[in-house]
Structures are given as structure tokens and as C-alpha cells.
Amino acid sequence: FFGKGVPNAADMAMLEEALLEADLGWKLTEKVMTDLPALCSKQGLGLREGLAVVLRGMLPANADPPGDPRPLVTMIVGVNGSGKTTTVARLAAMEKARGFKTLMACADTFRAAAGEQLALWGTRLDIPVVTRPEGTDPGAVAFDAVASAVARGFDRVFVDTAGRLPNRKGLLDELSKVHRVIGKSMEGAPHRVLLVLDGSVGQNALQQAGGFASAVPLTGLVITKLDGTAKGGAVFAMAHELGIPIVFIGTGEGGGDMSVFDPVEFTGALVG
Amino acid sequence: RLAERLSETFRTLSGRGVLTEGNISDAMREIRRALLEADVNFKVAGRFVSEATEKALGGKVLKSLTPGQQVIKIVHDQLVELLASGSSSLHFTGSPPHVVLLCGLQGSGKTTTAARLAWWLARKKNRRSLLVACDLQRPAAIDQLEVMAKKAGAGFYCNRAVSDPVLVAREAINQARLQQYDTVIVDTAGRLHVDQELMDELVRVRDAVKPEEILLVLDGLTGQDAVNVAVKFQERTGFTGSVLTKMDGDSRGGAALSFAAVTGRPIKFVGVGEGIEGLEAFDAERLAGRILG
Ligand SMILES: Nc1nc2c(ncn2[C@@H]2O[C@H](COP(=O)(O)OP(=O)(O)OP(=O)(O)O)[C@@H](O)[C@H]2O)c(=O)[nH]1
Ligand SMILES: Nc1nc2c(ncn2[C@@H]2O[C@H](COP(=O)(O)OP(=O)(O)OP(=O)(O)O)[C@@H](O)[C@H]2O)c(=O)[nH]1
Ligand SMILES: [Mg+2]
Ligand SMILES: [Mg+2]
């Protein structure tokens, strides 16, 4: 569907369903449906091309601050099971492949076998990992890892944290503390804070971002599990609403299954 | 809140408590939006609203309620009826050991559910469970289940020397018989509903242990995709019900309605926390109220 020329009612109806099905939510879907006909006729575009323009225009650009701190420290946060640990492994693998001396740290000292999980990734990828026993203060692990990275000349540090739901104020406070402690270990760190979201997340994506943003300054979003049938539209809507750029996407469980976010590919796939 | 939004819709109503086609359709637009915001699948929400509209048009007037309250009551009751379909309890017939097979997407909460279920069965049904580590794929999955089993006071079986979960499952059943466990809970690797190879593997595990209960563990934060996951898993496994996890968060949980509507199967448990006690029996009334917001 979506032929060239004036969009007809049937095409618009199909488009509306596709946007809802992609988890864009009814509000953003209505906005797109309202803006689209005028844009298509004004720019002489077919429905699909016009849609691509509208959607891409809604995405905030990635605006990583300038500078080349060594080590560049990235903190990974997000709700339970979203794919944080696997993201730490995949991003570390990407950086190592680019020639950077990379360290992974497991500041998840709560969940069963969290340290073992990241340690196994370290062995698989030949990347050093800092872990501590279950129950250790997560701030202490993060502090030690970053201090060690500074002392030993690492270029990249990725800090994994425990999953938490954004309505748990105590857990958000813990995250703020880990963030603060990392800053004590190295001034300006962490330089990146990435919120990891499951691609199949629904409208709760907005609460997740709001909650985590209240605890730590988010620099970017990672959408995982886009190898499924979910389109990640709720993360798109949240990125648009809160102005946080999407930086990486996950497309599988292997160490190489993460890529830099491509807005053209992503918005094209949104309506299938 | 929905009640406020509906009272706004009905504010200009002149009649006394009478629902007309016009104000019903206005109200149903608000209901549909509320359902979409709650992550109910848009097709499920559409059908739900059509059915509620018919009920509202055909119903008798409840003089004690305002028009807005009448619509909410119709919608609430229909929601509870849909969510409460099928039996929410576990059914174990024949001689033990009785097997519960857990399946679902990556990260939905299966491993944690295995341990929580063992704890719940011990406390509420006086059952002794053997937890079986059939996720041979995820790094440290076996370790994770082993730690959780200990926390739950349950038995634990694994075989780190093999790569076929079917083998582990079969061995576990024998072990359960030998050690007289009445319940076997099988944890499996997360898998995509569209991964044919892994879905085939799940069916092989199922056929090897012949479970009394097959539970789809579904993340309560899931949006529109819940219907795809539910339909595909039902096609291949014929599951008996689901567990809706992470409902201690602030997700409205519309995925539950999507699940119930497209599968006709019951939600049996709700995950309300990471700890061993974080599992509750499903309550349709509570979930209906939460979905409607
Ligand atoms: N198919 C697919 N699975 C993924 C992807 N990313 C992560 N996973 C899987 O999702 C599951 C959860 O991943 P984890 O990395 O453990 O998630 P987490 O956020 O660290 O989880 P917690 O620490 O328990 O909160 C694992 O089975 C991963 O293999 C992805 O992009 N695609
Ligand atoms: N807050 C909360 N967290 C939960 C709940 N259920 C599971 N979790 C957490 O969600 C994360 C994923 O749970 P797992 O049990 O590892 O999920 P899984 O389905 O076994 O994951 P895979 O084996 O990778 O597919 C963990 O951090 C759990 O502690 C719940 O009901 N509430
Ligand atoms: Mg993790
Ligand atoms: Mg698991």
C-alpha cells in the first residue's frame, strides 16, 4: 500500500493501524495522521515518503558532548530483563574491535549470578571484567572499576547495573548514588549514561525514561530485541517527547548483535 | 483518570441517566484511548469497545448510577469476564511427579518465576519441587537458577556436560521420581516466537516431559506485540495459561487483556517482585481496575 499521489482514506486507515500496532501510541499516531496529508501535498510526496520525512523529523539528533576523555566511562541502566548485561558485552566488543582497551564492570551486586553472567562474556570476548560478590555495595564496585581503569590506562569502561522498575524510589536513589560515586572516582565520569529498553515495551517506556532521567542524566537510549516482531515505536515516541537520542539497537543474543542506530532504517521498518 | 474523563464526556448530558447512541460513542472513544494507553492491542481494544457498545445500547438503565458510571460498570464487568476466563489454578491430575514447563521471550522472568512458583507451591499447596535448568544457552543461566532454587528451598537439577535440553529434561524426571519430588518445574531459554528452530526445540522439550501445565511467562511491560507472542506460542505449545511479570511496576498491564482475548487461556499468576515471595495468584478484578486506570 502507500502508492504515490494523494493519500486516499483506505491508505490512511491502514497507516493509522500500522502506527498503533508499532506502539507509537494514539496521541503520536493522531499527530502523524494530522501532519501527513499537508506535508505530502506541500512537498509532492507519496504517503510512504512523506511518512519517512515526518517520522525522521521527530527524532532528536545524537549530540554527544565533544572531548575525548580516557577512559570514556559509560553507565548502563534500565528495567529488569531489558538487555543491559548483554548490551554491556556487545558495546565492549564493538569498542575493542575499534582498537580501544576496554573494561567491563558488574555493578549489579543484587541479582543471582549477575557477576558470573558478565564474567562469562568477558571470557568469551577476551575483555577484562571487574566483579564483586553478591551484596557488595554497587557504588564501591563502580568506584573501584573506574579507578582501576584510570590507573591502568583503559580507553573505555562499561558499567553494568542491576535492573530496577522506575516506580521504586529507593532503587532510583541507589542509581543516583552509583552515578555520583563514579564521578568521585574520575571527574566528569560517567561520560555516557544509556537507558536500555526492550523493543517490545509499551507505553510504560515514557514512565521508564521519566523515572530514570530523574535519577541520572540520560545521554542516550538503546533499543534491544528488534529481531523480534516488535517495532520499538514506544521508544520512538518517548525519544521524540523527551528529546533523548536513540544511539544503538540490539538484534540478537550474540556478542556482535548490536549496531549504531540508523534513523532511516528504523523509521522505514516502523510500518513494515 | 477514566472516571473523570467520562464524567467530562457526559457533562453536557441533559437527560437523567439515559445512555443514547451519541453519548455512548463519545464515551467509547475515551474507553478505547484508555485501553490503548494501557497497552491493550488495538484490534483487541476495537473488538472490546464494539462489544461494550452493544451492551450499553441494549442494556437497561441503572437509575442509581450516572451515565458515566453506567458505562464504566459495563466496561469493567466485561473486562473482568474476559480476564477471568478459564481456571486460574494449576491442575495436577494422575500420579506425580507433575511437570510445569515455563516458556517465553528473552528476559520475561522465567528463571525467577521457576523459583517463585516453587516457593508458592511449597507455602500454599505443600508441594516439593525440583527445579530443572533447561536453559543451556544463556551465560550463567544454570548458576542463576541454582542460586534461586536454594533461596526457594527447592530441589535443583542440571547437567552441565550436555548441550541438549531434552536430555536434561528427561534425566530430571527420573531424578524427581527417585527423590520423590511431587512437582518438576522446567526453566527454558528465552526464545523469539518467530525463531523456528528454537520453537521446534521447545516442542521437543514439551513432548519429552509431558507437562500438566505449560505457562507462557509474559512481561507485564509489553505493548502491542503481546498478541503476536501469545498466538505463536499457543500455536506451537498449546500452553495452559500464563504468568504476567513485573506488575510491581507502573505498567497498566494491557498485555494481559490482549493475551486473554486472543488465546482464551487464563492468567494464572502475577509477578510482583524479584524476591522469592514475588508471585501472587491472579486476581481479575484488580487487574481490570488497573487496566482501566
Ligand atoms: N533476541 C534478543 N535477545 C536479547 C537481545 N538483547 C538481550 N537479549 C536477551 O535478553 C535476555 C536478558 O538480557 P540481559 O542482558 O540479561 O538483561 P538485563 O537487563 O541485564 O537483565 P537484568 O540484569 O536481570 O535486569 C537474555 O536472554 C539476552 O540474551 C536482543 O537484542 N535480541
Ligand atoms: N520487579 C520485578 N522484576 C522481575 C519480576 N520477574 C522477574 N523480574 C526480574 O526480571 C529480570 C529477568 O528475569 P529472569 O528470570 O532472568 O528472566 P528470564 O525470562 O529467565 O530471562 P532469559 O532466561 O534471559 O530469557 C531479573 O532481573 C528478574 O529479577 C517481577 O515480577 N518484578
Ligand atoms: Mg543484567
Ligand atoms: Mg532465564
Side-chain angles (χ1 to χ4, degrees):
Chain A
F1 63 136
F2 299 162
K4 271 208 180 298
V6 179
N8 62 43
D11 282 348
M12 291 295 274
M14 281 187 93
L15 175 58
E16 181 176 24
E17 289 204 345
L19 292 175
L20 283 177
E21 189 167 23
D23 278 311
L24 232 71
W26 68 263
K27 280 208 189 91
L28 196 59
T29 297
E30 265 188 24
K31 176 155 175 26
V32 171
M33 300 305 286
T34 307
D35 296 351
L36 198 50
L39 182 123
C40 283
S41 70
K42 183 153 160 266
Q43 298 193 13
L45 297 173
L47 196 56
R48 189 176 263 290
E49 297 159 299
L51 178 67
V53 170
V54 169
L55 292 178
R56 284 209 299 274
M58 287 177 160
L59 277 171
N62 188 2
D64 273 338
D68 180 24
R70 299 291 171 107
L72 175 72
V73 180
T74 300
M75 186 179 172
I76 302 286
V77 305
V79 304
N80 307 73
S82 60
K84 297 176 293 301
T85 303
T86 315
T87 292
V88 166
R90 289 176 288 194
L91 291 180
M94 280 166 83
E95 291 303 275
K96 171 169 166 131
R98 293 172 66 207
F100 294 110
K101 184 175 172 193
T102 305
L103 177 72
M104 303 191 291
C106 181
D108 177 355
T109 50
F110 171 77
R111 207 210 68 211
E116 286 85 332
Q117 184 185 3
L118 194 62
L120 272 166
W121 273 111
T123 306
R124 200 182 277 191
L125 301 171
D126 189 25
I127 295 177
V129 189
V130 170
T131 65
R132 290 286 184 278
E134 194 177 304
T136 308
D137 175 54
V141 187
F143 186 97
D144 288 352
V146 174
S148 161
V150 170
R152 291 160 56 198
F154 277 85
D155 302 314
R156 299 287 186 263
V157 182
F158 291 94
V159 181
D160 190 12
T161 62
R164 66 205 68 219
L165 294 179
N167 54 328
R168 299 278 302 273
K169 185 79 182 42
L171 296 183
L172 289 185
D173 289 345
E174 176 189 86
L175 205 60
S176 302
K177 175 156 166 279
V178 173
H179 186 271
R180 234 180 357 263
V181 165
I182 290 175
K184 290 206 164 65
S185 189
M186 175 189 184
E187 187 163 351
H191 311 93
R192 305 277 186 275
V193 182
L194 303 182
L195 175 64
V196 177
L197 298 117
D198 188 317
S200 68
V201 70
Q203 298 309 301
N204 192 253
L206 210 54
Q207 275 92 309
Q208 288 179 29
F212 280 95
S214 73
V216 291
L218 301 176
T219 64
L221 307 171
V222 179
I223 312 178
T224 60
K225 309 177 200 173
L226 286 181
D227 44 322
T229 50
K231 301 291 170 62
V235 184
F236 173 91
M238 179 267 280
H240 168 66
E241 184 145 339
L242 301 185
I244 311 172
I246 301 167
V247 290
F248 296 105
I249 64 164
T251 52
E253 304 191 64
D257 293 331
M258 181 147 281
S259 47
V260 173
F261 177 69
D262 177 346
V264 173
E265 197 172 341
F266 180 82
T267 52
L270 259 186
V271 292
Chain B
R1 289 215 46 241
L2 186 63
E4 289 152 9
R5 286 156 72 168
L6 285 186
S7 67
E8 193 56 31
T9 309
F10 286 112
R11 202 162 47 85
T12 54
L13 198 61
S14 52
R16 295 211 122 258
V18 178
L19 294 173
T20 70
E21 247 182 87
N23 57 50
I24 285 175
S25 104
D26 287 345
M28 288 305 167
R29 188 170 50 243
E30 288 305 315
I31 300 279
R32 183 171 167 271
R33 282 179 175 170
L35 293 176
L36 290 175
E37 286 166 9
D39 287 324
V40 176
N41 179 267
F42 77 97
K43 286 201 182 105
V44 172
R47 282 199 295 273
F48 182 91
V49 160
S50 304
E51 198 172 320
T53 299
E54 275 180 37
K55 287 207 180 96
L57 287 171
K60 50 188 168 44
V61 173
L62 295 151
K63 290 224 163 45
S64 55
L65 301 178
T66 68
Q69 287 171 334
Q70 287 184 54
V71 169
I72 290 191
K73 173 152 176 53
I74 289 169
V75 167
H76 177 90
D77 290 352
Q78 182 179 324
L79 196 42
V80 171
E81 190 179 350
L82 249 178
L83 290 172
S85 69
S87 166
S88 278
S89 52
L90 295 177
H91 286 128
F92 298 127
T93 56
S95 50
H98 300 119
V99 182
V100 179
L101 176 65
L102 301 180
C103 61
L105 253 47
Q106 290 88 348
S108 63
K110 299 174 291 300
T111 304
T112 314
T113 295
R116 290 179 294 192
L117 185 57
W119 176 262
W120 190 89
L121 286 171
R123 297 271 305 283
K124 305 277 183 180
K125 307 286 178 184
N126 211 11
R127 285 187 158 259
R128 246 182 90 245
S129 303
L130 180 70
L131 269 46
V132 186
C134 281
D135 178 353
L136 307 183
Q137 185 262 338
R138 167 174 154 153
I142 297 176
D143 301 324
Q144 184 188 2
L145 187 63
E146 184 167 30
V147 171
M148 296 300 290
K150 205 173 265 119
K151 290 200 170 119
F156 175 70
Y157 184 80
C158 71
N159 185 343
R160 293 168 191 274
V162 301
S163 60
D164 185 1
V166 176
L167 219 65
V168 180
R170 279 207 193 98
E171 290 174 352
I173 302 296
N174 290 333
Q175 195 61 26
R177 284 203 184 99
L178 280 173
Q179 299 192 303
Q180 305 195 315
Y181 286 99
D182 50 41
T183 316
V184 175
I185 303 174
V186 181
D187 182 24
T188 61
R191 68 203 65 220
L192 294 178
H193 49 300
V194 291
D195 185 326
Q196 291 315 324
E197 233 185 271
L198 287 186
M199 292 304 285
D200 289 346
E201 175 193 87
L202 179 61
V203 174
R204 283 202 304 280
V205 172
R206 180 200 66 183
D207 293 345
V209 298
K210 304 202 178 353
E212 303 268 323
E213 291 278 350
I214 302 171
L215 301 178
L216 175 71
V217 178
L218 183 62
D219 191 325
L221 306 168
T222 311
Q224 299 288 306
D225 201 44
V227 295
N228 300 325
V229 178
V231 166
K232 284 278 178 283
F233 268 89
Q234 183 172 41
E235 269 173 21
R236 299 304 314 272
T237 69
F239 51 59
T240 54
S242 68
V243 177
L244 192 71
T245 62
K246 307 178 199 173
M247 292 301 282
D248 45 320
D250 48 12
S251 160
R252 296 262 292 276
L257 179 61
S258 302
F259 173 84
V262 302
T263 68
R265 289 275 179 269
I267 299 159
K268 305 222 175 195
F269 294 97
V270 178
V272 292
E274 295 187 75
I276 211 70
E277 300 184 335
L279 197 72
E280 291 176 353
F282 176 63
D283 181 332
E285 284 280 346
R286 278 208 6 235
L287 187 57
R290 177 172 178 156
I291 289 176
L292 285 181

mmCIF file of all heavy atoms in Angstrom, chain A residues 166-187:
data_model
loop_
_atom_site.group_PDB
_atom_site.id
_atom_site.type_symbol
_atom_site.label_atom_id
_atom_site.label_comp_id
_atom_site.label_asym_id
_atom_site.label_seq_id
_atom_site.Cartn_x
_atom_site.Cartn_y
_atom_site.Cartn_z
ATOM 1 N N PRO A 166 11.045 1.742 37.514
ATOM 2 C CA PRO A 166 11.171 3.175 37.788
ATOM 3 C C PRO A 166 10.256 3.737 38.869
ATOM 4 O O PRO A 166 10.413 4.880 39.275
ATOM 5 C CB PRO A 166 10.835 3.827 36.439
ATOM 6 C CG PRO A 166 10.028 2.818 35.717
ATOM 7 C CD PRO A 166 10.510 1.483 36.173
ATOM 8 N N ASN A 167 9.307 2.935 39.349
ATOM 9 C CA ASN A 167 8.447 3.445 40.423
ATOM 10 C C ASN A 167 9.037 3.148 41.805
ATOM 11 O O ASN A 167 8.446 3.486 42.816
ATOM 12 C CB ASN A 167 7.036 2.863 40.311
ATOM 13 C CG ASN A 167 7.040 1.346 40.272
ATOM 14 O OD1 ASN A 167 7.970 0.727 39.763
ATOM 15 N ND2 ASN A 167 6.023 0.736 40.822
ATOM 16 N N ARG A 168 10.193 2.496 41.858
ATOM 17 C CA ARG A 168 10.843 2.183 43.132
ATOM 18 C C ARG A 168 11.818 3.306 43.467
ATOM 19 O O ARG A 168 12.963 3.309 43.022
ATOM 20 C CB ARG A 168 11.578 0.834 43.057
ATOM 21 C CG ARG A 168 10.678 -0.360 42.770
ATOM 22 C CD ARG A 168 9.973 -0.879 44.026
ATOM 23 N NE ARG A 168 10.901 -1.271 45.080
ATOM 24 C CZ ARG A 168 11.463 -2.469 45.207
ATOM 25 N NH1 ARG A 168 11.166 -3.422 44.332
ATOM 26 N NH2 ARG A 168 12.304 -2.743 46.200
ATOM 27 N N LYS A 169 11.373 4.265 44.272
ATOM 28 C CA LYS A 169 12.176 5.450 44.568
ATOM 29 C C LYS A 169 13.527 5.071 45.192
ATOM 30 O O LYS A 169 14.561 5.630 44.866
ATOM 31 C CB LYS A 169 11.382 6.366 45.511
ATOM 32 C CG LYS A 169 12.056 7.693 45.814
ATOM 33 C CD LYS A 169 11.876 8.684 44.663
ATOM 34 C CE LYS A 169 12.564 10.029 44.858
ATOM 35 N NZ LYS A 169 13.925 9.992 45.421
ATOM 36 N N GLY A 170 13.521 4.111 46.091
ATOM 37 C CA GLY A 170 14.749 3.683 46.762
ATOM 38 C C GLY A 170 15.787 3.161 45.786
ATOM 39 O O GLY A 170 16.987 3.431 45.921
ATOM 40 N N LEU A 171 15.302 2.433 44.754
ATOM 41 C CA LEU A 171 16.231 1.871 43.779
ATOM 42 C C LEU A 171 16.769 2.964 42.862
ATOM 43 O O LEU A 171 17.924 2.915 42.416
ATOM 44 C CB LEU A 171 15.550 0.767 42.964
ATOM 45 C CG LEU A 171 15.119 -0.455 43.777
ATOM 46 C CD1 LEU A 171 14.521 -1.521 42.867
ATOM 47 C CD2 LEU A 171 16.289 -1.030 44.567
ATOM 48 N N LEU A 172 15.936 3.979 42.576
ATOM 49 C CA LEU A 172 16.412 5.106 41.762
ATOM 50 C C LEU A 172 17.454 5.903 42.553
ATOM 51 O O LEU A 172 18.454 6.361 41.997
ATOM 52 C CB LEU A 172 15.249 6.015 41.356
ATOM 53 C CG LEU A 172 14.276 5.445 40.327
ATOM 54 C CD1 LEU A 172 13.250 6.501 39.919
ATOM 55 C CD2 LEU A 172 14.997 4.928 39.091
ATOM 56 N N ASP A 173 17.230 6.037 43.862
ATOM 57 C CA ASP A 173 18.215 6.727 44.704
ATOM 58 C C ASP A 173 19.544 5.991 44.683
ATOM 59 O O ASP A 173 20.618 6.610 44.638
ATOM 60 C CB ASP A 173 17.713 6.826 46.152
ATOM 61 C CG ASP A 173 16.564 7.805 46.288
ATOM 62 O OD1 ASP A 173 16.343 8.602 45.348
ATOM 63 O OD2 ASP A 173 15.877 7.767 47.335
ATOM 64 N N GLU A 174 19.478 4.653 44.705
ATOM 65 C CA GLU A 174 20.702 3.860 44.665
ATOM 66 C C GLU A 174 21.462 4.142 43.365
ATOM 67 O O GLU A 174 22.684 4.268 43.347
ATOM 68 C CB GLU A 174 20.362 2.363 44.761
ATOM 69 C CG GLU A 174 21.573 1.455 44.622
ATOM 70 C CD GLU A 174 21.192 -0.017 44.512
ATOM 71 O OE1 GLU A 174 20.909 -0.493 43.390
ATOM 72 O OE2 GLU A 174 21.186 -0.695 45.554
ATOM 73 N N LEU A 175 20.713 4.270 42.286
ATOM 74 C CA LEU A 175 21.331 4.530 40.987
ATOM 75 C C LEU A 175 22.010 5.899 40.977
ATOM 76 O O LEU A 175 23.124 6.062 40.457
ATOM 77 C CB LEU A 175 20.268 4.453 39.897
ATOM 78 C CG LEU A 175 20.755 4.112 38.500
ATOM 79 C CD1 LEU A 175 21.435 2.765 38.462
ATOM 80 C CD2 LEU A 175 19.587 4.162 37.529
ATOM 81 N N SER A 176 21.334 6.898 41.557
ATOM 82 C CA SER A 176 21.925 8.242 41.642
ATOM 83 C C SER A 176 23.236 8.183 42.405
ATOM 84 O O SER A 176 24.217 8.835 42.048
ATOM 85 C CB SER A 176 20.987 9.212 42.366
ATOM 86 O OG SER A 176 19.753 9.281 41.719
ATOM 87 N N LYS A 177 23.240 7.388 43.460
ATOM 88 C CA LYS A 177 24.443 7.274 44.291
ATOM 89 C C LYS A 177 25.577 6.635 43.486
ATOM 90 O O LYS A 177 26.719 7.096 43.539
ATOM 91 C CB LYS A 177 24.119 6.442 45.544
ATOM 92 C CG LYS A 177 25.309 6.155 46.428
ATOM 93 C CD LYS A 177 24.891 5.866 47.883
ATOM 94 C CE LYS A 177 26.050 5.251 48.668
ATOM 95 N NZ LYS A 177 26.200 3.793 48.425
ATOM 96 N N VAL A 178 25.277 5.582 42.727
ATOM 97 C CA VAL A 178 26.318 4.935 41.916
ATOM 98 C C VAL A 178 26.879 5.948 40.924
ATOM 99 O O VAL A 178 28.094 6.040 40.718
ATOM 100 C CB VAL A 178 25.758 3.698 41.173
ATOM 101 C CG1 VAL A 178 26.793 3.142 40.192
ATOM 102 C CG2 VAL A 178 25.343 2.619 42.162
ATOM 103 N N HIS A 179 25.983 6.750 40.335
ATOM 104 C CA HIS A 179 26.398 7.772 39.370
ATOM 105 C C HIS A 179 27.343 8.784 40.032
ATOM 106 O O HIS A 179 28.415 9.121 39.485
ATOM 107 C CB HIS A 179 25.156 8.484 38.818
ATOM 108 C CG HIS A 179 25.449 9.458 37.727
ATOM 109 N ND1 HIS A 179 25.750 10.784 37.962
ATOM 110 C CD2 HIS A 179 25.503 9.306 36.375
ATOM 111 C CE1 HIS A 179 25.966 11.403 36.811
ATOM 112 N NE2 HIS A 179 25.830 10.531 35.839
ATOM 113 N N ARG A 180 26.956 9.220 41.240
ATOM 114 C CA ARG A 180 27.769 10.200 41.993
ATOM 115 C C ARG A 180 29.137 9.623 42.324
ATOM 116 O O ARG A 180 30.177 10.282 42.182
ATOM 117 C CB ARG A 180 27.050 10.546 43.305
ATOM 118 C CG ARG A 180 26.837 12.031 43.505
ATOM 119 C CD ARG A 180 26.139 12.449 44.777
ATOM 120 N NE ARG A 180 25.657 11.462 45.705
ATOM 121 C CZ ARG A 180 24.396 11.015 45.753
ATOM 122 N NH1 ARG A 180 23.513 11.470 44.893
ATOM 123 N NH2 ARG A 180 24.031 10.119 46.660
ATOM 124 N N VAL A 181 29.151 8.392 42.781
ATOM 125 C CA VAL A 181 30.394 7.736 43.193
ATOM 126 C C VAL A 181 31.350 7.559 42.010
ATOM 127 O O VAL A 181 32.563 7.735 42.139
ATOM 128 C CB VAL A 181 30.081 6.376 43.862
ATOM 129 C CG1 VAL A 181 31.318 5.515 43.962
ATOM 130 C CG2 VAL A 181 29.470 6.608 45.229
ATOM 131 N N ILE A 182 30.802 7.258 40.836
ATOM 132 C CA ILE A 182 31.637 7.143 39.636
ATOM 133 C C ILE A 182 32.308 8.498 39.367
ATOM 134 O O ILE A 182 33.484 8.575 38.999
ATOM 135 C CB ILE A 182 30.805 6.692 38.410
ATOM 136 C CG1 ILE A 182 30.368 5.230 38.575
ATOM 137 C CG2 ILE A 182 31.607 6.851 37.109
ATOM 138 C CD1 ILE A 182 29.439 4.723 37.474
ATOM 139 N N GLY A 183 31.564 9.577 39.594
ATOM 140 C CA GLY A 183 32.106 10.921 39.407
ATOM 141 C C GLY A 183 33.232 11.237 40.376
ATOM 142 O O GLY A 183 34.134 12.019 40.068
ATOM 143 N N LYS A 184 33.181 10.615 41.559
ATOM 144 C CA LYS A 184 34.248 10.823 42.544
ATOM 145 C C LYS A 184 35.508 10.068 42.115
ATOM 146 O O LYS A 184 36.635 10.485 42.392
ATOM 147 C CB LYS A 184 33.809 10.324 43.928
ATOM 148 C CG LYS A 184 32.737 11.182 44.566
ATOM 149 C CD LYS A 184 32.750 11.101 46.105
ATOM 150 C CE LYS A 184 31.954 12.232 46.731
ATOM 151 N NZ LYS A 184 30.503 12.130 46.388
ATOM 152 N N SER A 185 35.288 8.938 41.436
ATOM 153 C CA SER A 185 36.414 8.118 41.010
ATOM 154 C C SER A 185 37.161 8.771 39.852
ATOM 155 O O SER A 185 38.375 8.635 39.708
ATOM 156 C CB SER A 185 35.892 6.734 40.609
ATOM 157 O OG SER A 185 36.947 5.855 40.392
ATOM 158 N N MET A 186 36.415 9.461 39.003
ATOM 159 C CA MET A 186 37.033 10.162 37.861
ATOM 160 C C MET A 186 36.156 11.369 37.558
ATOM 161 O O MET A 186 34.953 11.215 37.303
ATOM 162 C CB MET A 186 37.099 9.245 36.639
ATOM 163 C CG MET A 186 37.611 9.962 35.383
ATOM 164 S SD MET A 186 37.411 8.923 33.927
ATOM 165 C CE MET A 186 38.196 9.950 32.679
ATOM 166 N N GLU A 187 36.752 12.560 37.578
ATOM 167 C CA GLU A 187 35.954 13.759 37.340
ATOM 168 C C GLU A 187 35.326 13.730 35.946
ATOM 169 O O GLU A 187 36.006 13.422 34.964
ATOM 170 C CB GLU A 187 36.832 15.004 37.472
ATOM 171 C CG GLU A 187 36.003 16.279 37.411
ATOM 172 C CD GLU A 187 36.747 17.490 37.947
ATOM 173 O OE1 GLU A 187 37.836 17.295 38.524
ATOM 174 O OE2 GLU A 187 36.241 18.603 37.773
#
